[in-house]
Every structure is written in structure tokens, then in C-alpha cells.
Amino acid sequence: MKLLVTGGAGFIGSNFIRYFLNVHPSTEIVNFDKLTYAGNLQNLADIDAQPNYRFVRGDICDAEAVEHLCEQPFDAIVHFAAESHVDRSIAAAREFIRANVEGTLVMLEAARKRKISRFLHVSTDEVYGSMAPKESATEQSQLAPNSPYAASKAASDLLVRSYVQTHKFPAVITRCTNNYGPYQFPEKLIPLMISNAIEGKKLPVYGDGLNERDWIFVEDHCRALDAVLEKGRIGEIYNIGSGRPVPNIGIVRSLLKLLNAPDGLIEFVQDRPGHDRRYALDDSKIRRELGWESKVELDAGLKHTVDWYRTHSDWVQEAKSGEYQAYYEKFYVKRRATLAQL
Ligand code: NAD
Ligand code: DAU
């Protein structure tokens, strides 16, 4: 099995590559990533020397580079690459349309031309928009994205769907809830709150803190993607969640408790514009059809995550200072050259 993974230097992509090579050691993986601010090759430093893993720096919007890459005999593509942070999409939406919509189109075209037999498009529950209390989205629910990020992901999902309908293209779409765990860039709620609390800084909670998210430990998501890659039906959508939406303030208080830090660090700040009140998914389809279910309880997952950030202060500091961005030229390129000489 030879896999092309896009966006594998980011949070979920790097966890997926590590998970997949561990569970399927005979697989070959090529990781294609532009290394935007969110791409960090240190996330994969421990597997970099493995002979069945290779990194290629490139942009999914570069059709020539992607088509050249797809000349390799890939059995499947797992497409993570995207701009992923809602607040950044509110500040500047253009790059979200470029990377998430145009980039997905380039990937679809290249995969179609090369007749790649499976394309897994990694999407999000945000495409369904905000849920009323007790409501949860099924795969048939209408799309109602409320942020430019969510709109760009919904647009990419619809493009994938159109390729399935028009070209009989072998794609499957997944829509997962909020992930957390090691290697998440400290701009998202959980790693930002952990790292601020460790530094004794204020924890900015948007609005009244009662917006709800359904948190899933990243490895549970990776296991679900593995199951969909192997057994998911072409043309289908699979929701992936943990079935337990929690208010943000509850998450922040749990983190402070685990860190033994005072609640006084919490600071309620101006709300995010268009802030979705509640995300909740009905994921009975993937549980019924593929036998997958989330395993990691929230308390255990948060504890593991807090421990990871505590013991990886160098990673956090480099992520926050931007130092990690020099890693590719300064260390990675040199190291690969040395490896090639061996
Ligand atoms: P991330 O921001 O941590 O990583 C994104 C990766 O994509 C980075 O390595 C970045 O360098 C790369 N990338 C961005 N633009 C690129 C381009 N034009 N060409 C090549 N590479 C590019 O994101 P994440 O949180 O790991 O999310 C990965 C995917 O999963 C995204 O598609 C996201 O929409 C989806 N998703 C995320 C979550 C979540 O909670 N984080 C939940 C559901 C779905
Ligand atoms: O639901 C899946 C989505 O989850 C993914 O598709 C996105 O890529 C991912 O970024 C995430 O989006 P959210 O906007 O839900 O995640 P974020 O961590 O930015 O925010 C989680 C909640 O916490 C949200 O209600 C906003 C709030 N928040 C966030 C930050 C960064 C705060 O209160 N304070 C903050 O500083």
C-alpha cells in the first residue's frame, strides 16, 4: 500500500502518519505539505528516518507539482491539507478559498487523471453550522456554514461530491468534530489554554463561555480515518464524533484543575463574530457500518494532553516564537542530505 497524505506536517496529519505507520508498518507514505505556519516537521522528527516515509514540500494549488507527484503509483490519497483556524478566516478569508477550495480541486483533478483508486477527503462538522439544544447533525443534514473557514470546507465537500456524481470518482468524505491531543498548534482552544496557564498568562474565553464543542482525542479520529480508508463506501459521508458536547468554560476549568492553576486566570473576552453556539453530531452510521467508536474518555484524553504539553515545552516555545519555521532549511534539509549519503 502506498499512500499520499496532504497536510501531513499539521496537527491531525502528523498524528495520522505516526498512527498509520505504526499500525500498518509495510505501508509507504509520502507526505506533501506546503509548510505554512501550521506545518511543523518537528511533529514527525521521530519517524523521519524511516525508509517507508518521505516528505515532499509543495502547495496543493500547484497543479504541475501535484500532477507530477501523482505519477507515483499511489493506492490512495488522504487529503488533510487546508487552512484550519476559524479566527484566521474571519481576519482574512482569501487564503482559505485558495487552499481549501482551489487546492482540493487540483487534488481531485490529479487523482482523477491518474485513476487513483481511493480519495479520502477529511472534512469537519462545522459545515453543518450551529445545532439547537439536543439536536445533532446526520450526514443528510443541510449544510449551513457560518464562518469563511466552514464555508470553504463545505465548498470543498460539494466539489468532491460533484466528482463522485460526474466522474464516478472514488471519494469518501469524513466530517469530524473538534480534535485535541499532542502537536496541536497553540492557537486552538485547548493548547492555547494549557500553554497560557503554564506561563501564568490569562486564558481568553470568548463570550459567555457556554458555546459547546464535541471534543475527540486525535488518535480516535485517526482510527476512524483508517477504518473509512479500508471499508468506507465510495460516495458516502461519515460523521465522526464522541457524542458528548461540552461547554468551553467546562473544558477550561478542567484544564486549570489538571494544571493546578487558579480559575482567576480566566478572562471573558469579546465574542468571536458569528460564533457557532453548539456543534453536535450523530455518528451512528460509522459505528453501525464500520464498527468504529471513540474510545478515549475526555478526562483521560485531557490529562494525556496536559502531560504532553508539560513535557514538550521546547516544542511549545518554538511554535509560539515561530522558531520551528527555520527547521526545514536549517536542520531538515541537511539531515535528509546526510541520510541520503548513508
Ligand atoms: P493544521 O492547520 O494543523 O494543519 C494543516 C496542514 O496543511 C499544515 O501542515 C499546513 O502546512 C498544510 N497546508 C495548508 N495549506 C496547504 C497548501 N496549500 N498546500 C499544502 N499543504 C498545505 O490543521 P488540522 O487541525 O491538522 O486539520 C487537518 C484537516 O482536518 C483540515 O482539512 C481540517 O479542516 C480538518 N479537520 C480538523 C479538525 C480539528 O479539530 N482540528 C476537525 C475536523 C476536521
Ligand atoms: O469542529 C471542528 C473544527 O474544530 C475544525 O474544523 C477546525 O479546524 C478547528 O479549528 C475547530 O474549530 P473551532 O473554532 O471549534 O476550534 P477553536 O479551538 O478555535 O475554538 C474552540 C471553541 O473555543 C470555540 O467555541 C471558540 C472558543 N475559543 C477559542 C479560542 C482560540 C475561546 O473561547 N477562546 C480562544 O482563545
Side-chain angles (χ1 to χ4, degrees):
M1 170 97 152
K2 186 162 173 151
L3 270 192
L4 171 59
V5 172
T6 70
F11 163 50
I12 305 174
S14 61
N15 275 285
F16 176 79
I17 290 174
R18 179 175 296 99
Y19 168 86
F20 208 85
L21 288 178
N22 199 18
V23 175
H24 308 283
S26 59
T27 301
E28 267 181 73
I29 292 187
V30 175
N31 173 12
F32 185 72
D33 196 300
K34 183 181 174 185
L35 298 184
T36 67
Y37 81 94
N40 183 346
L41 283 179
Q42 292 180 29
N43 296 359
L44 290 165
D46 56 327
I47 63 153
D48 186 43
Q50 284 188 210
N52 53 346
Y53 166 77
R54 199 156 64 86
F55 173 72
V56 178
R57 189 174 193 176
D59 186 339
I60 53 167
C61 298
D62 179 347
E64 208 181 314
V66 170
E67 285 186 16
H68 180 65
L69 184 72
C70 288
E71 282 168 13
Q72 295 185 44
F74 291 116
D75 298 296
I77 296 178
V78 186
H79 179 40
F80 292 98
E83 287 292 330
S84 71
H85 191 40
V86 171
D87 291 329
R88 286 180 189 254
S89 81
I90 294 168
R94 188 170 299 278
E95 189 53 28
F96 284 72
I97 301 305
R98 199 187 84 89
N100 301 3
V101 186
E102 288 178 33
T104 298
L105 178 62
V106 168
M107 292 307 304
L108 290 169
E109 267 305 295
R112 184 172 80 86
K113 280 189 195 152
R114 289 285 151 198
K115 298 193 169 28
I116 286 171
S117 54
R118 190 160 272 246
F119 187 96
L120 171 48
H121 178 64
V122 181
S123 192
T124 167
D125 64 349
E126 297 208 11
V127 297
Y128 300 118
S130 201
M131 295 289 118
K134 296 196 178 143
E135 184 191 16
S136 54
T138 71
E139 289 81 359
Q140 276 76 47
S141 294
Q142 71 163 14
L143 300 187
N146 291 319
S147 71
Y149 161 70
S152 71
K153 291 297 290 189
S156 69
D157 286 16
L158 293 179
L159 264 179
V160 174
R161 179 195 148 90
S162 77
Y163 269 61
V164 172
Q165 299 298 323
T166 306
H167 299 295
K168 306 276 172 276
F169 182 73
V172 189
I173 297 174
T174 56
R175 293 182 179 147
C176 188
T177 56
N178 284 63
N179 285 223
Y180 69 98
Y183 300 106
Q184 187 166 30
F185 195 76
E187 63 181 352
K188 307 276 167 68
L189 181 77
I190 289 180
L192 179 71
M193 298 295 153
I194 297 173
S195 58
N196 276 12
I198 289 173
E199 292 170 33
K201 289 186 182 157
K202 291 284 187 192
L203 311 191
V205 173
Y206 298 161
D208 60 8
L210 295 177
N211 300 66
E212 292 180 22
R213 296 293 183 268
D214 176 11
W215 295 97
I216 184 170
F217 190 63
V218 63
E219 200 175 301
D220 274 337
H221 185 192
C222 295
R223 259 194 319 107
L225 295 173
D226 189 1
V228 173
L229 196 58
E230 192 196 342
K231 301 179 279 191
R233 288 186 289 133
I234 299 295
E236 293 293 318
I237 298 167
Y238 293 91
N239 285 348
I240 303 167
S242 71
R244 49 171 186 223
V246 178
N248 294 338
I249 192 67
I251 292 288
V252 173
R253 291 217 166 95
S254 300
L255 294 173
L256 286 172
K257 209 164 167 196
L258 284 165
L259 287 156
N260 211 8
D263 274 16
L265 288 179
I266 294 172
E267 181 175 47
F268 289 94
V269 299
Q270 194 178 359
D271 208 356
R272 172 187 277 175
H275 196 176
D276 282 331
R277 192 64 171 167
R278 181 169 180 272
Y279 294 149
L281 281 186
D282 176 341
D283 69 353
S284 50
K285 178 174 170 180
I286 189 171
R287 287 191 275 114
R288 191 177 59 246
E289 285 191 12
L290 307 187
W292 172 90
E293 60 181 4
S294 75
K295 282 189 178 156
V296 180
E297 292 298 332
L298 185 61
D299 286 351
L302 288 181
K303 183 175 179 322
H304 180 86
T305 305
V306 164
D307 288 345
W308 189 88
Y309 279 87
R310 261 189 179 140
T311 51
H312 289 74
S313 51
D314 288 354
W315 184 93
V316 176
Q317 281 323 313
E318 290 190 19
K320 282 193 158 178
S321 69
E323 246 177 278
Y324 69 99
Q325 286 175 310
Y327 180 84
Y328 178 71
E329 274 80 16
K330 265 197 187 159
F331 175 68
Y332 184 83
V333 175
K334 228 190 261 170
R335 179 157 172 230
R336 290 304 299 191
T338 324
L339 286 172
Q341 284 153 17
L342 288 177

